């Protein structure tokens, strides 16, 4: 039987998700124009969300921003991510050893989402932010997760993914991407070599649960100039070890390529 969705709730979710893509406050008019809905419809949704604490209004310009209720819910969700609690001490050890930024992402309904980021001592501005979604075809974390999906799922995800070329090094040909995924499966890690951002190189490895399903990935991101041949070999070794340690703590049984 087909799923039934409630239109008013979908519209409320659309309103809230507008703020994910914007760091600024939004007016009723702006929200109405972005969603293509009448101002009267949007006004009712916004007032309901404001009443429940999901939005709050700036009294100076009458624009809206996300409310504290979402902060409460976000903290509750964060506390439910056992993988974060397991990974955090391992990530700290990685940062201390590699002196670079380390990320943890989760795989949820075909999307990759950053849930932890520990900056190295030489912090750098890069694409990642906690809560942000990562392109699955051109990030180390995305490719390390994609590589360990079933073939049908890989085809489905690549068909649904906007294979945007972020840099001149981004692969957008599906056949080439699938060839790269095979290599990732064989070696147990992936590399993003300036595919999402020029000058940035990342090494990532998949994290598995007790059922042997990939649920997350961990990565080390660094300016390419700092990743000498010896440093790269060290990063690959330690990222794989970290991913395996987290996976083992999640109940995963070792596979040869991942050791």
């Amino acid at each position: 039987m087909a799923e039934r969705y409630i239109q008013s709730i979908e519209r409320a979710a659309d309103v809230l998700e507008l703020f994910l893509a914007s760091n600024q406050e939004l007016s009723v008019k702006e929200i109405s124009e972005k969603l293509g809905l009448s101002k009267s419809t949007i006004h009712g949704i916004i007032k309901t969300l404001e009443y429940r604490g999901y939005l709050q209004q700036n009294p100076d310009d009458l624009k809206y921003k996300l409310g504290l209720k979402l902060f409460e819910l976000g903290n509750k969700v964060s506390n439910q991510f056992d993988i974060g609690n397991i990974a955090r001490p391992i990530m700290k050890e990685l940062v201390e050893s590699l002196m670079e930024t380390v990320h943890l992402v989760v795989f949820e309904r075909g999307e990759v989402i950053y849930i932890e980021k520990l900056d190295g001592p030489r912090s750098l501005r890069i694409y990642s932010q906690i809560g942000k979604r990562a392109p699955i075809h051109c990030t180390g974390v995305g490719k390390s997760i994609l590589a360990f999906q079933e073939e049908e799922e890989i085809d489905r995800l690549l068909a649904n993914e906007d294979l945007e070329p972020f840099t001149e090094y981004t692969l957008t040909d599906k056949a080439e991407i699938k060839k790269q995924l095979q290599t990732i499966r064989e070696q147990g890690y992936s590399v993003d070599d300036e595919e999402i951002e020029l000058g940035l190189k990342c090494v990532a490895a998949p994290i598995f649960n007790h059922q042997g399903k990939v649920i997350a990935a961990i990565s080390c991101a660094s300016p390419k100039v700092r990743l000498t041949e010896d440093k790269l070999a060290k990063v690959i070794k330690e990222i794989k070890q970290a991913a395996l340690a987290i996976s083992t703590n999640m109940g995963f049984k070792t596979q040869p390529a991942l050791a």
Side-chain angles (χ1 to χ4, degrees):
M1 187 175 72
E3 296 283 356
R4 296 181 60 192
Y5 300 105
I6 301 172
Q7 187 181 62
S8 59
I9 295 177
E10 282 203 311
R11 286 177 172 176
D14 288 339
V15 169
L16 292 174
E17 288 176 7
L18 275 182
F19 291 89
L20 293 177
S22 174
N23 292 323
Q24 60 185 1
E25 298 175 344
L26 297 171
S27 68
V28 172
K29 182 174 182 291
E30 289 168 333
I31 295 171
S32 171
E33 290 174 350
K34 288 177 183 293
L35 295 181
L37 296 171
S38 69
K39 286 198 289 185
S40 60
T41 298
I42 292 300
H43 186 267
I45 293 170
I46 286 175
K47 283 301 174 184
T48 303
L49 290 172
E50 182 185 18
Y51 173 72
R52 297 300 297 264
Y54 294 102
L55 290 178
Q56 61 185 74
Q57 189 179 45
N58 184 332
D60 295 327
D61 58 15
L62 302 182
K63 290 189 174 184
Y64 291 87
K65 61 182 178 180
L66 296 178
L68 290 177
K69 179 63 70 173
L70 288 169
F71 180 75
E72 293 174 28
L73 289 175
N75 280 338
K76 181 68 71 173
V77 171
S78 179
N79 290 337
Q80 291 174 355
F81 272 114
D82 290 339
I83 189 172
N85 294 328
I86 292 171
R88 206 166 292 115
I90 296 171
M91 292 174 69
K92 287 180 180 178
E93 290 179 4
L94 270 180
V95 171
E96 291 171 4
S97 175
L98 301 177
M99 307 291 283
E100 302 291 356
T101 297
V102 175
H103 300 106
L104 178 70
V105 306
V106 292
F107 184 57
E108 183 178 85
R109 291 188 293 180
E111 294 187 299
V112 179
I113 305 170
Y114 291 95
I115 63 166
E116 289 283 349
K117 176 183 178 182
L118 297 184
D119 288 317
R122 293 174 288 182
S123 182
L124 66 158
R125 284 179 62 105
I126 55 179
Y127 176 88
S128 60
Q129 296 175 24
I130 292 178
K132 190 166 187 175
R133 285 164 165 74
I136 205 166
H137 70 290
C138 63
T139 54
V141 286
K143 290 188 295 181
S144 66
I145 288 173
L146 184 61
F148 290 89
Q149 302 301 309
E150 297 291 337
E151 197 67 26
E152 289 183 2
E153 181 66 359
I154 291 174
D155 289 335
R156 187 188 71 79
L157 290 170
L158 289 179
N160 291 339
E161 179 80 3
D162 178 14
L163 303 180
E164 178 184 351
F166 288 84
T167 75
E168 60 190 289
Y169 303 107
T170 305
L171 285 182
T172 57
D173 180 85
K174 292 178 183 177
E176 286 297 314
I177 293 173
K178 291 182 76 171
K179 184 178 178 181
Q180 188 180 73
L181 296 178
Q182 178 59 39
T183 300
I184 293 168
R185 280 192 292 274
E186 293 170 358
Q187 62 193 17
Y189 68 91
S190 64
V191 176
D192 157 19
D193 194 354
E194 299 187 281
E195 294 173 51
I196 186 70
E197 187 173 324
L198 289 175
L200 181 71
K201 193 165 185 173
C202 299
V203 176
I207 295 170
F208 297 82
N209 66 9
H210 66 285
Q211 296 175 316
K213 294 181 179 180
V214 65
I215 56 168
I218 188 170
S219 74
C220 171
S222 169
K224 186 173 180 177
V225 294
R226 289 211 292 259
L227 284 184
T228 61
E229 187 175 341
D230 288 345
K231 176 74 176 286
L232 180 60
K234 176 181 172 69
V235 170
I236 290 170
K237 178 182 178 182
E238 295 194 17
I239 281 291
K240 288 184 68 176
Q241 288 176 340
L244 182 57
I246 297 169
S247 298
T248 300
N249 285 333
M250 300 287 291
F252 175 66
K253 304 301 181 184
T254 309
Q255 293 177 5
L258 307 173

